[in-house]
Amino acid sequence: MKIYDYIIHLPNKIFYPFLLKNKEIYENFKKNGYHHFLNNEENIKLCKHIEENIDFKKVNEFIKLKKRKNPNVYSVNISEILDQKMKVELDNFFNNSEKINLTSSMLGYKTKFRNVSVIVNFFNENTQQNEGAKMFHRDSDSLQDQIKIFMLVNQ
């Protein structure tokens, strides 16, 4: 397994070496597959800001629209209905050197910010429990193509 991991990650290590990683975060991520920031003030502030500035009536209407198109939908990307100011704030929050270095430390190679998606998961009585994952989960099939960072915005 180690040789397979080495071969997969070799191009990134050659072309995008990352030498200043936080070894503690790297080892924790390598062991657990995640890093949980409990009670991080910056994250809590962002989540409260999102809650205060999202038009939940508009979100619920958007969910109804998506459910009419697909009665089995249980999550929607609401990024397209966010105002431009919120989109910029979210991009700025994640697209900074501190967060990119943190993500890079977890993986052991340089990462690059691409975009932010705001996904709303909700209960849908039309979906069956055994149809597969319904809530946030970690996919292992993306290899080095994408990294997903989840922030739960909820009371």
Side-chain angles (χ1 to χ4, degrees):
M1 186 68 165
K2 283 190 175 195
I3 188 74
Y4 181 69
D5 185 59
Y6 178 80
I7 291 169
I8 288 173
H9 295 288
L10 186 61
N12 265 344
K13 291 180 181 193
I14 292 171
F15 297 110
Y16 305 102
F18 184 67
L19 306 173
L20 302 173
K21 66 185 168 200
N22 180 319
K23 291 185 187 324
E24 182 181 335
I25 288 176
Y26 175 73
E27 290 301 324
N28 180 59
F29 188 82
K30 197 164 97 172
K31 177 184 172 192
N32 299 316
Y34 66 90
H35 192 81
H36 183 203
F37 294 96
L38 187 62
N39 298 323
N40 179 283
E41 288 183 33
E42 186 182 23
N43 293 353
I44 291 168
K45 184 178 175 183
L46 175 70
C47 291
K48 286 181 179 179
H49 179 69
I50 291 169
E51 280 186 317
E52 292 167 358
N53 290 285
I54 286 185
D55 182 348
F56 288 102
K57 183 179 178 188
K58 192 174 183 180
V59 170
N60 286 327
E61 290 170 4
F62 189 70
I63 289 171
K64 287 177 187 175
L65 173 71
K66 294 296 184 176
K67 283 173 80 174
R68 280 195 295 273
K69 289 181 180 179
N70 178 0
N72 295 322
V73 69
Y74 54 86
S75 70
V76 294
N77 184 346
I78 64 166
S79 300
E80 65 188 76
I81 65 170
L82 297 178
D83 64 40
Q84 190 60 33
K85 182 180 176 202
M86 178 63 73
K87 289 178 186 179
V88 169
E89 290 171 343
L90 289 170
D91 279 352
N92 290 339
F93 183 83
F94 290 104
N95 189 19
N96 67 60
S97 59
E98 182 183 312
K99 298 237 179 5
I100 292 170
N101 283 336
L102 179 64
T103 306
S104 298
S105 286
M106 289 180 197
L107 298 170
Y109 53 83
K110 281 187 183 178
T111 58
K112 182 178 184 328
F113 175 79
R114 289 190 187 160
N115 71 356
V116 172
S117 295
V118 181
I119 310 293
V120 174
N121 278 34
F122 51 88
F123 174 75
N124 184 341
E125 61 281 346
N126 293 328
T127 59
Q128 295 178 11
Q129 187 173 354
N130 61 358
E131 285 182 341
K134 298 282 189 290
M135 297 308 259
F136 294 124
H137 61 280
R138 184 178 136 193
D139 291 327
S140 61
D141 61 346
S142 58
L143 293 177
Q144 296 179 18
D145 184 44
Q146 61 179 305
I147 300 158
K148 299 173 186 174
I149 299 172
F150 297 98
M151 290 184 74
L152 180 62
V153 181
N154 191 335
Q155 293 286 352

